[in-house]
């Protein structure tokens, strides 16, 4: 058995590409012994994960919107899905928008400008290119110590202002609206404001308060 494990690890090392700085997936859940991996970690292509007996991990891929639950064995993180040896994997495609999970400031400001042009022309429907989240409670990646402001742009709604203190952030970099008991309106268009930066996004009309995969409600603002 030990020789088999060594062969698998060796094969994975040969197959693994050079580690990329851009993350491929986010860790949604960890159960049991999984060395070097924690809840809400990002993992890059080429990362090898060893799952101990009865251990499991759930990965959500940012580009392919695949959600994988992997039990035991060895995991080689890819660009859009994992390669698994000596373990089991269950995959499902979940609603997500890669424009939302990889939003840059430049793209965000362009989206915001589109929103304002649409509002000025009295068009009620949200622009199709604005990034969409599929849960009413976004998970926002932002720098702790800043203040996050969420404003509705297509209707009246109380503005949400949250001082992002380290004690309310997950891992020092994520603010979870669901954990805080806050939610937005299905079908609404919004601006997320961090200092001078503005990020436009919308909530899918079919979004509910039911538990939603992280990748479907993730807004990476930093």
């Amino acid at each position: 058995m030990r020789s088999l494990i060594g062969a698998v690890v060796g094969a994975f090392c040969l197959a693994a590409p050079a580690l990329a700085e851009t993350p491929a997936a986010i860790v949604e859940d960890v159960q049991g012994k999984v060395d070097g991996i924690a809840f809400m970690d990002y993992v890059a292509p080429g990362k090898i994960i060893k799952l101990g007996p009865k251990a499991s991990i759930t990965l959500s891929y940012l580009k392919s919107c695949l959600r994988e639950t992997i039990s035991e064995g060895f995991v080689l993180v890819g660009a859009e899905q994992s390669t698994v040896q000596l373990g089991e994997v269950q995959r499902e495609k979940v609603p997500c928008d890669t424009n939302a999970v990889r939003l840059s400031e430049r793209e965000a400001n362009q989206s915001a400008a589109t929103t304002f042009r649409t509002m000025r022309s009295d068009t009620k429907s949200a622009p199709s290119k604005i990034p969409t989240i599929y849960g009413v409670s976004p998970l926002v990646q932002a720098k702790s110590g800043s203040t996050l402001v969420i404003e509705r742009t297509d209707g009246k709604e109380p503005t949400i202002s949250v001082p992002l203190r380290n004690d309310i952030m997950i891992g020092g970099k994520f603010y979870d609206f669901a954990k805080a008991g806050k939610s937005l309106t299905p079908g609404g268009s919004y601006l997320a404001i961090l200092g001078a930066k503005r990020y436009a996004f919308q909530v899918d009309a079919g979004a509910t308060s039911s538990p939603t995969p992280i990748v479907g409600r993730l807004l990476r603002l930093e």
Side-chain angles (χ1 to χ4, degrees):
M1 183 64 178
R2 183 173 298 177
S3 61
L4 176 59
I5 292 175
V8 170
V9 173
F12 268 15
C13 289
L14 289 174
L19 290 179
E21 292 184 2
T22 303
I26 188 168
V27 179
E28 274 204 39
D29 186 52
V30 179
Q31 299 292 329
K33 182 176 175 57
V34 185
D35 293 335
I37 293 292
F39 173 61
M40 297 302 292
D41 279 353
Y42 284 117
V43 289
K47 173 72 174 179
I48 297 174
I49 304 170
K50 179 183 177 181
L51 304 179
K54 298 183 180 180
S56 66
I57 188 170
T58 299
L59 299 177
S60 281
Y61 274 84
L62 307 179
K63 184 177 179 180
S64 64
C65 299
L66 278 181
R67 187 171 186 256
E68 300 180 337
T69 300
I70 305 165
S71 302
E72 303 187 350
F74 294 85
V75 182
L76 173 62
V77 176
E80 298 186 12
Q81 71 175 48
S82 305
T83 300
V84 180
Q85 295 289 342
L86 304 180
E88 297 182 356
V89 57
Q90 295 180 338
R91 294 187 176 97
E92 61 175 330
K93 191 88 167 181
V94 300
C96 86
D97 184 348
T98 57
N99 290 323
V101 299
R102 295 187 296 172
L103 191 63
S104 70
E105 182 188 353
R106 180 181 63 81
E107 291 167 338
N109 288 332
Q110 287 175 345
S111 296
T114 302
T115 302
F116 293 135
R117 285 197 300 270
T118 302
M119 292 171 63
R120 285 199 295 267
S121 64
D122 295 325
T123 301
K124 294 184 179 180
S125 60
S128 60
K129 290 186 179 180
I130 289 186
T132 301
I133 60 171
Y134 293 86
V136 295
S137 298
L139 178 73
V140 179
Q141 178 183 338
K143 187 178 296 184
S144 63
S146 56
T147 297
L148 172 67
V149 177
I150 302 291
E151 292 182 352
R152 181 86 182 256
T153 60
D154 64 342
K156 292 184 178 180
E157 194 169 305
T159 296
I160 298 173
S161 181
V162 182
L164 298 178
R165 305 187 314 271
N166 195 60
D167 62 301
I168 64 172
M169 304 284 281
I170 301 172
K173 60 183 178 181
F174 295 100
Y175 179 77
D176 192 348
F177 274 62
K179 185 177 180 181
K182 302 178 186 295
S183 62
L184 305 180
T185 302
S189 294
Y190 295 86
L191 279 181
I193 303 171
L194 283 172
K197 301 176 182 179
R198 283 163 168 73
Y199 303 84
F201 69 97
Q202 63 186 359
V203 181
D204 184 72
T208 70
S209 58
S210 301
T212 306
I214 284 174
V215 73
R217 59 189 185 95
L218 177 62
L219 288 172
R220 293 173 63 195
L221 306 188
E222 294 286 352

